[in-house]
Amino acid sequence: MATSQSEVEKLVHREYKHGFVTDIEQETLPPGLDEGVIRTISAFKGEPEFMREWRLSAFRHWQTMSEPSWAHVSYPPLDFQSISYYSAPKTREQIEAEAPKSLDEVDPKLLETYDKLGIPLHERARLAGVAVDAVFDSVSVATTYKDKLSEHGIIFCSFSEAVREHPELVRKYLGTVVPPGDNFYASLNSAVFSDGSFVFVPKGVRCPMELSTYFRINASNTGQFERTLIVAEEGAYVSYLEGCTAPMRDENQLHAAVVELVALEGAEIKYSTVQNWYPGDEEGRGGIYNFVTKRGECRGDNSKIAWTQVEAGSAITWKYPSCVLKGDNSVGEFYSVAVGNNCQQIDSGTKMIHIGRNTRSTIISKGISAGRANNAYRGLVKVLPTAKGARNYTQCDSLLMGDQCGAHTYPYIEVREPSAQVEHEATTSKIGDDQIFYLLQRGLSEEDAVNMIVSGFCKEVFSELPMEFAVEAQALLAVTLEGAVG
Amino acid sequence: MLKITDLHAEVDGKPILKGLNLEVGSGEVHAIMGPNGSGKSTLCQVLAGRDGYQVTSGSVSFEGQDLLAMAPEIRAREGLLLAFQYPVEIPGVKNVYLLKAAYNAQREHRGEPEVDAFEFLQLLRERTRIMKMDESFLHRGVNEGFSGGEKKRNEILQMLVLEPKLALLDETDSGLDIDALKVVSEGVNTLRGEDRSVVLVTHYQRLLDHIVPDFVHVLSDGRIIKSGDKSLALELEANGYQNVVEAA
Amino acid sequence: MSEADYLEAFRSEQGSLGAQLPDWVMALRLSALGRFERAGFPDPRHEEWRYTNIRPIVKKAFKPAGDALAPLEVGVLDQHRLGVDSAVELVFVNGRLHAGLSQMQGLPDGAVVEDLGTALRSRGETLQPLLGQIADDRDSSFVALSTAFLRDGVFIGLAPGCVLERPIKLLFVSTREAQPVVFHPRILFHGGANSQATVIEHYAGMEGSASFTNTVTEAALEAGARLEHYKIQRESTQAYHIGSLHVRQMRDSSLRSHNVNLGGRLVRNDLNIGLMEPGAEVLLNGLFMAGGRQHVDNHTRVHHAAPHTQSTEEYRGIIDDHARGVFKGRVLVDRGAQRIEAHQTSANLVLSDGAEVDTKPELEIYADDVVCSHGATVGQLDEQSLFYLRSRGLDDKTARGLLTFAFAGEVISRIGEQSIRDRLEEVIVGRLPDHQRLKELV
């Protein structure tokens, strides 16, 4: 390689851009988890009884489960009793009970935080036409553009508010895609989830703007367990964006979210994520454990769910945004860029479960490994005997930068229907020194040359992101890989 | 423009260039010919600054500056551009992106403002026509899935856009059919000008029918052993390298 | 036969064998038994056994192969022969070498082909460093079981530079018994530097034989050694077959493995190839056809432990009726194993509604300067090709047969031995719909 190892190491040094701690008062439950804690969370939030019972039954189930160990990641055992399961920024006395009515009520320091993060929360948000729900640690702080959305009958609010204001909808859909006993972390989330976003787009409505949530973990020793539920009724359309950051801390913090999507007949949901949780320092100290369950169900015929993700942060990422293709002719898509540097570990991919006839799925996964990172794609394509004419196409490419990283591909293909066509292709390669030299010879700097090659490698995924996010994702990639030329 | 003095270079410890001298003035076209293994490609790589090509002694000045002290991208920005013998494929990176990035890198280097996207596209379209290339080439990945001839045309297109002071062509004619050769030659001729120089490295005389050089040099075993005008190329063609090498 | 039954069988055999086998073999058997006892049989919760449940093997009452030779007529045996011209041919009946049916003369100097029991007694210094050292029984209870019951099989040794022009044939036949038999044939191959050989392992069973073959082959290829290895499994559709091939390859050695599975009720093959030094290369060529209620599982693992090593792999499966085909291919590239090339393909044809295919091609890469790719496809016959053939006047059945044959042909064409190629084509055509007409066509 053109650049020496020492140069690589020098260049790899970079600082996490979002690693500041916001100094505001926190109201946090002491660490520990038992039924009492769950009742307290539920009481804090003024939840109806069904919700409390739902949490408790999930908790009882969780106690019988053990942590999964099959992923290609390693970390010291987690002590679930040393985590605090609820933390709310205390900006107004009743903040736990009621989110601020307008941005003016929000603590200016919090807004400053969002400014630093580059979140288009106020005017910029309005100009950009993005409605934002911001979840700070455990509590949803503000939702912009709510009124305009409600004119269309669209509900976009924090999960807590949905439980209070629209209990019938929550009750109807919650846990129907990811049941409370689905897996270890999903069960934990079901028991202790604190807040998140709720979206409901009624029949025939095309949501006129992108909806967006920003998640940020601030308090130390807290876990963040948000819950997102998006329902698109018959013929509805919604595009939802999720962004995540966290401050720099020495100790690892747990993030175990659950996202459920329900698409009824002819509905379409586009869910995009730019994940930039704190990845830990270059020695692998600190960073977020991102153990997330995301699943969408194409419940009706001709429905479509598309996941697009750019995974750049977290010490460990363990997530498989999935599509259950129940409706005939339904479509599942998964576009992913996962980039790991330093000591990051990623085990991510998707599951496409073909149940309905003529269901189609596409998986495009791009993994980039630099430093000492390990990046694994794990994906399941399952075609059940009912899925006549099902089609899947999977393309899975890995790019290696430096000789201390690893790139792994674990596809699972299970086909029980002869008329199905399943195709999987994967390649692993490195950035060629002749490619870099070619670009240098055209006058580009080495950084730009690498960025250009990496963006080229990822372009099929970036083109799926909404414009604003695509720009952010490109920039994020450039920062993450700063100088990781190997 | 370019002055090479007693240049020695080696690859993997093996000496390839062994005391090469060459001077290229403004506006001149030089052809460097020689048998396989004489050091032609090594000279190009050394001038472009490729890693692994170790200069052991000698000097190269470009517009009065020490070329060997410059990083490869600085050489390019200063106006020394190499058309590669084997242009590499860069999947996913569109031609138009590369050209724009390179063009602006050069302007920035000269302290000029970035060019307006619309203006740049006009320029590109015009240059693409000279190379008789379809505009769709601009939106394909750099050399991705290009035929050998298309890659060479693409190299010259980049030169037409970036307008180097010194264009260095490494066997650009090899693998071209006669029509493509004409197009490539036309492109290079468009590039010629009072303040621009061209160095053609080639194995065959036929390119020189289309791009008439001011000087012809014979490279053998890492040194220029004979120089002359274009008639030297014809002599080489008629008598073969061996005779010229032995006579020198 | 449960774990406890095997422990019991071991105890009754170990006592009587002490006089026949050297101490180091007895110790090797005993320690392997310990590992088997601790690990037990795998269940589907084990990632390596996710798609293959071996319960039927555990539940079935097999009897250990006895010392008495099963009666077998040469004429019956001939039906199962491949008709390949060979240097030597060893015939094993229910796991035990049948000297009367074998032909062991005519090897050139420097080549040894010997009954394993004999070799264990007389060639300890050669065998001890190899046996059980290439196959890692921590990976598999079945390998541990094989080592625990070590006694039958064959040792093949080639001195440096020894080149065998004609193949070594090993035929394993299981007979139909009132109580089905379990046996553990073990094959050890040592190819000296720059030696060259072809070894054909052929497993055949009498109609209705419900035996359990637990076979393990270990091969050490020294620098520049070349081995063309065939495994052709045509057991009865009631038989159970668990087999593995473990190969350690040194500098510039070459392995071409052809693994063809046509028979068996429940079949599992594990191929573990270690490319330990630069220049080593391997070709893994595989074909399986499963119909009825057959279950065929192939697991391959190629370990690139050194730079400049190369692997190419293509496995094809044709699954019909209610059969299930499984493929898992793993390519592991060590840190520092730069400039390697690895390509892997798994292609599967599903021909009927009840059939199932599970395929899992894996890449695990810790080096950066590599060229690796894998691909997997699952599908049915191409409609356009079918239509094309039919528009040329072929009926649907013939067209399907022809395309299926062509699908298998990709694997067959890589087989070096012309006579095996011909024989396999014949056997495959015989299993296709409309085979009478196809025979004239191909």
Side-chain angles (χ1 to χ4, degrees), chain B residues 60-75:
Chain B
V60 181
S61 82
F62 180 60
E63 296 268 78
Q65 299 185 69
D66 180 2
L67 183 77
L68 300 178
M70 296 179 202
E73 63 271 31
I74 305 298
R75 298 182 199 203

Side-chain angles (χ1 to χ4, degrees), chain A residues 436-479:
Chain A
I436 291 181
F437 184 68
Y438 187 91
L439 295 174
L440 290 180
Q441 221 299 311
R442 295 297 176 256
L444 270 65
S445 69
E446 188 154 307
E447 294 278 354
D448 288 346
V450 171
N451 283 339
M452 192 172 254
I453 293 168
V454 168
S455 321
F457 177 75
C458 300
K459 77 166 191 322
E460 291 141 293
V461 175
F462 287 163
S463 65
E464 293 299 320
L465 284 170
M467 189 57 164
E468 239 193 322
F469 256 34
V471 174
E472 187 183 330
Q474 294 251 18
L476 182 56
L477 219 63
V479 174

Side-chain angles (χ1 to χ4, degrees), chain B residues 103-139:
Chain B
Y103 193 75
N104 280 329
Q106 198 180 62
R107 289 181 70 94
E108 194 191 331
H109 185 68
R110 294 198 295 249
E112 295 164 6
E114 284 202 358
V115 70
D116 168 81
F118 183 73
E119 264 175 52
F120 184 69
L121 205 60
Q122 294 288 96
L123 174 86
L124 268 189
R125 288 205 174 122
E126 183 205 320
R127 302 296 146 94
T128 310
R129 272 196 294 276
I130 295 177
M131 293 314 293
K132 300 199 163 49
M133 287 166 80
D134 193 275
E135 242 181 73
S136 65
F137 271 86
L138 295 173
H139 298 283

Side-chain angles (χ1 to χ4, degrees), chain B residues 13-28:
Chain B
K14 188 179 166 221
I16 308 282
L17 300 182
K18 303 167 182 171
L20 189 140
N21 292 292
L22 179 69
E23 197 161 338
V24 178
S26 262
E28 294 173 358

Side-chain angles (χ1 to χ4, degrees), chain A residues 1-3 433-446 448 452-457 459, chain B residues 45 49-51 72-73 76-77 80-82 84 88-89 91-93 97-98 101-102 105 143 155 158:
Chain A
M1 186 68 239
T3 41
D433 36 354
D434 44 357
Q435 291 178 330
I436 291 181
F437 184 68
Y438 187 91
L439 295 174
L440 290 180
Q441 221 299 311
R442 295 297 176 256
L444 270 65
S445 69
E446 188 154 307
D448 288 346
M452 192 172 254
I453 293 168
V454 168
S455 321
F457 177 75
K459 77 166 191 322
Chain B
Q45 303 287 348
R50 176 113 207 195
D51 256 15
E73 63 271 31
R77 292 172 197 172
L80 184 149
L81 213 62
L82 170 65
F84 286 82
V88 66
E89 297 192 12
V93 175
Y97 293 162
L98 165 62
N143 295 322
E155 291 294 286
Q158 294 182 10

Side-chain angles (χ1 to χ4, degrees), chain A residues 7-25:
Chain A
E7 195 173 341
V8 171
E9 279 161 14
K10 185 180 75 205
L11 286 165
V12 159
H13 285 251
R14 58 159 178 115
E15 283 194 41
Y16 182 66
K17 219 174 88 184
H18 302 299
F20 50 84
V21 178
T22 308
D23 181 22
I24 53 176
E25 268 187 275

